[in-house]
Amino acid sequence: MPELGSYRSRILAGTIASAALGVLGFSTIGFGAAVVGESRKAEITQKAPSSLDALKAQYRRPASIPFPKDNPYTPDKAALGKKLYFDTRLSVSSAQSCASCHSPGFGWGDGLAVGVGHGMAKLGRHSPTIVNAAWSAIFMWDGRLPTLEDQALGPIQSPGEMNMKLDDLMARLASIPEYKPMFDASFPGQGMTAKALAQAIATYERTVVSERAPFDAWIEGNEKAIPEAAKRGFAVFNGKAQCAACHEGWNFTNEGFQDIGLPSTDIGRGEYLPGVIKMQHAFKTPGLREINRRSPFMHDGSLATLEAVIDHYDHGGVDRPSRSDLMRPLGLTAQEKADLVAFLKTLTSELEPTAVPVLPR
Amino acid sequence: MRTIALFTCVIVAGFSVGAYAATEVIHQQGRAFSSETISVKKGEAVTFLNDDTVPHNIMSASKGNEFNLGSQAPGTSTDVTFKEAGDVQVICAIHPRMKMMVKVTD
Ligand SMILES: [Cu+2]
């Protein structure tokens, strides 16, 4: 048996090592491998089942926005970032800004099934919201970018999206007189660089936070803040439907990657980890804040309504080796499904209108 | 004769693996490893115990110590024996916040 285990782990390791190139930063492939023993059943001591109050405490809003040490918040930088975010001159056609696909009007998405890029061509995936991106651990549906700063530069340069070369972009921005003093104020002594541009946009994006929703008032003790159906839905969400296994915490995501069995040929994270079965067709779990404003849903925008999403999970999706072990038919009743929808609706805040900035000329 | 030789080989391998006592147990409750960094001697096993409520996919692409436990169900444990000295970055492919380092010494 140990022979078999060792052999199997070697085969897997070879594929993983090649898969990890670029993702985990290894430039060479080793021939050795760790020895993996047989899997055993184990006695485990789970913490006692949480009381409702303990459970609710896990969903409490954070008090402040986290900013990275190497790109701290300043008001100037966030203001510059906001102008850049809404500036269509960041695209080669001068027709698209970040806000084209991540618009405050659509819960910071675009309301389309899949995004529209350069030349009005359809993109492969649904534009994700940027709400609460400050709390993200990894970016893009397939997790290929490690920071929000990297993410900011991705769509700008992508030929299918804004199609803008960074050198050309910085030259174009330098030709707009009002930008230079703003860069100087935000990044003293650094000049107008692509790095500064990315830092400014990311800083603005981190300030895009979902506001208090009825759910938050309930979590903090106001029993009248949400309907009884939503409270039942919260129990189903954390219990029978197991939604909270992935949609956990105040922003309703643990940033994990799962194949939830959507019938799509897109392999998602599998492109970066080809040897890892469970990453085939796996996509990042999105948060659920402002969910009412974000239809259609899923990485491919294939489900139009929250009811359709819940039916998908209830059904369990396409059974294939990569499908998450958490996906299986749930046997939800019509009442439970309706309660889940009622609960999800309590996660949408009264978002204050976002003023479009006056752009530098 | 060939069969006997093969048989002996398996026995020996069996004993040698059996002799790797797991000195460290890494728990996975709450989508987190119980340690950020541990140190083990080359040839010693680390037990990865899924005592969480969801499956994890613990793996490493560190040269010489690559492994992939696949989808590890809650309530199961697996021993991994590291063969090369060096730092082994261990991750969960499912949960990007789960990262730890196993320092393998000679
Ligand atoms: Cu995990």
Side-chain angles (χ1 to χ4, degrees), chain A residues 184-230:
Chain A
D184 286 343
S186 304
F187 302 96
Q190 290 179 45
M192 293 178 68
T193 64
K195 184 185 173 197
L197 170 100
Q199 290 194 331
I201 294 174
T203 300
Y204 170 62
E205 289 179 327
R206 290 192 176 99
T207 67
V208 177
V209 178
S210 57
E211 288 161 41
R212 284 175 55 83
F215 174 76
D216 299 302
W218 179 62
I219 285 294
E220 288 164 20
N222 178 357
E223 278 304 315
K224 296 203 174 101
I226 65 173
E228 290 305 314

Side-chain angles (χ1 to χ4, degrees), chain A residues 32 35 37 40 46 248 257 325, chain B residues 31 51 66 71 77 81 94:
Chain A
V35 179
R40 307 183 296 271
Q46 282 290 341
E248 66 176 298
F257 294 87
D325 294 344
Chain B
R31 331 296 174 256
D51 48 356
E66 298 93 337
S71 187
S77 84
T81 306
I94 297 171

Side-chain angles (χ1 to χ4, degrees), chain B residues 28 31-33 52 54-58 91-96 98:
Chain B
Q28 301 169 31
R31 331 296 174 256
F33 289 121
D52 208 349
V54 297
H56 291 288
N57 190 154
I58 309 306
I91 64 166
C92 170
I94 297 171
H95 303 109
M98 293 178 72

Side-chain angles (χ1 to χ4, degrees), chain A residues 77 82 170 213 229 231 237:
Chain A
K77 202 194 291 176
K82 183 174 181 181
M170 297 323 293
K231 295 176 195 173
F237 186 90

Side-chain angles (χ1 to χ4, degrees), chain A:
Chain A
M1 285 304 117
E3 293 275 72
L4 179 64
S6 159
Y7 175 67
R8 196 164 45 203
S9 73
R10 269 166 206 274
I11 293 180
L12 282 168
T15 1
I16 296 159
S18 45
L21 295 177
V23 172
L24 299 168
F26 297 96
S27 55
T28 51
I29 299 170
F31 295 103
V35 179
V36 175
E38 293 297 303
S39 162
R40 307 183 296 271
K41 281 229 177 308
E43 289 285 313
I44 58 173
T45 44
Q46 282 290 341
K47 287 168 206 150
S50 307
S51 68
L52 181 60
D53 282 345
L55 188 59
K56 283 164 78 175
Q58 294 171 12
Y59 290 90
R60 208 167 265 279
R61 292 174 69 85
S64 60
I65 303 173
F67 288 90
K69 276 200 199 90
D70 57 2
N71 188 20
Y73 174 83
T74 70
D76 281 347
K77 202 194 291 176
L80 170 60
K82 183 174 181 181
K83 288 184 193 283
L84 293 165
Y85 184 90
F86 282 92
D87 195 333
T88 50
R89 292 167 293 186
L90 265 61
S91 60
V92 74
S93 62
S94 287
Q96 302 160 289
S97 68
C98 305
S100 303
C101 293
H102 308 281
S103 158
F106 289 109
W108 299 90
D110 58 15
L112 301 168
V114 294
V116 172
H118 182 67
M120 295 302 286
K122 279 190 180 181
L123 298 169
R125 295 175 188 157
H126 179 68
S127 301
T129 182
I130 63 149
V131 161
N132 302 333
W135 284 268
S136 279
I138 192 164
F139 295 87
M140 314 302 275
W141 280 110
D142 54 22
R144 68 183 179 274
L145 296 175
T147 69
L148 197 48
E149 284 74 6
D150 292 315
Q151 192 282 327
L153 297 181
I156 292 174
Q157 299 173 89
S158 165
E161 298 180 55
M162 294 159 83
N163 195 23
M164 191 66 178
K165 291 197 170 66
L166 288 180
D167 288 348
D168 295 348
L169 173 57
M170 297 323 293
R172 184 188 279 179
L173 294 180
S175 74
I176 302 167
E178 289 173 29
Y179 262 127
K180 185 167 187 314
M182 299 187 74
F183 272 87
D184 286 343
S186 304
F187 302 96
Q190 290 179 45
M192 293 178 68
T193 64
K195 184 185 173 197
L197 170 100
Q199 290 194 331
I201 294 174
T203 300
Y204 170 62
E205 289 179 327
R206 290 192 176 99
T207 67
V208 177
V209 178
S210 57
E211 288 161 41
R212 284 175 55 83
F215 174 76
D216 299 302
W218 179 62
I219 285 294
E220 288 164 20
N222 178 357
E223 278 304 315
K224 296 203 174 101
I226 65 173
E228 290 305 314
K231 295 176 195 173
R232 292 193 301 270
F234 180 71
V236 178
F237 186 90
N238 285 283
K240 184 175 174 183
Q242 281 204 92
C243 313
C246 302
H247 295 284
E248 66 176 298
W250 87 280
N251 193 32
F252 296 89
T253 175
N254 59 25
E255 305 278 311
F257 294 87
Q258 312 276 350
D259 170 12
I260 56 166
L262 287 165
S264 146
T265 53
D266 188 346
I267 60 167
R269 188 134 182 86
E271 204 175 316
Y272 301 91
L273 294 166
V276 184
I277 291 164
K278 290 294 178 187
M279 291 298 102
Q280 306 308 303
H281 303 280
F283 294 86
K284 193 175 104 164
T285 302
L288 300 178
R289 291 279 176 172
E290 313 300 339
I291 194 72
N292 276 23
R293 305 180 199 276
R294 289 166 43 199
S295 63
F297 302 109
M298 319 317 256
H299 76 273
D300 55 3
S302 60
L303 301 177
T305 63
L306 289 175
E307 286 78 4
V309 170
I310 288 165
D311 281 340
H312 169 76
Y313 284 113
D314 185 43
H315 169 264
V318 180
D319 188 2
R320 55 192 170 201
S322 56
R323 186 180 68 164
S324 167
D325 294 344
L326 294 164
M327 292 295 295
R328 58 170 179 276
L330 296 170
L332 297 176
T333 65
Q335 175 81 64
E336 286 165 336
K337 291 181 186 181
D339 289 347
L340 275 172
V341 172
F343 161 66
L344 290 171
K345 286 184 174 166
T346 69
L347 303 181
T348 298
S349 69
E350 289 302 321
L351 268 181
E352 279 180 34
T354 299
V356 175
V358 175
L359 298 178
R361 302 294 298 188

Side-chain angles (χ1 to χ4, degrees), chain B residues 30-47:
Chain B
R31 331 296 174 256
F33 289 121
S34 52
S35 299
E36 273 176 31
T37 307
I38 58 165
S39 223
V40 296
K41 283 214 165 66
K42 196 162 83 177
E44 278 180 352
V46 175
T47 299

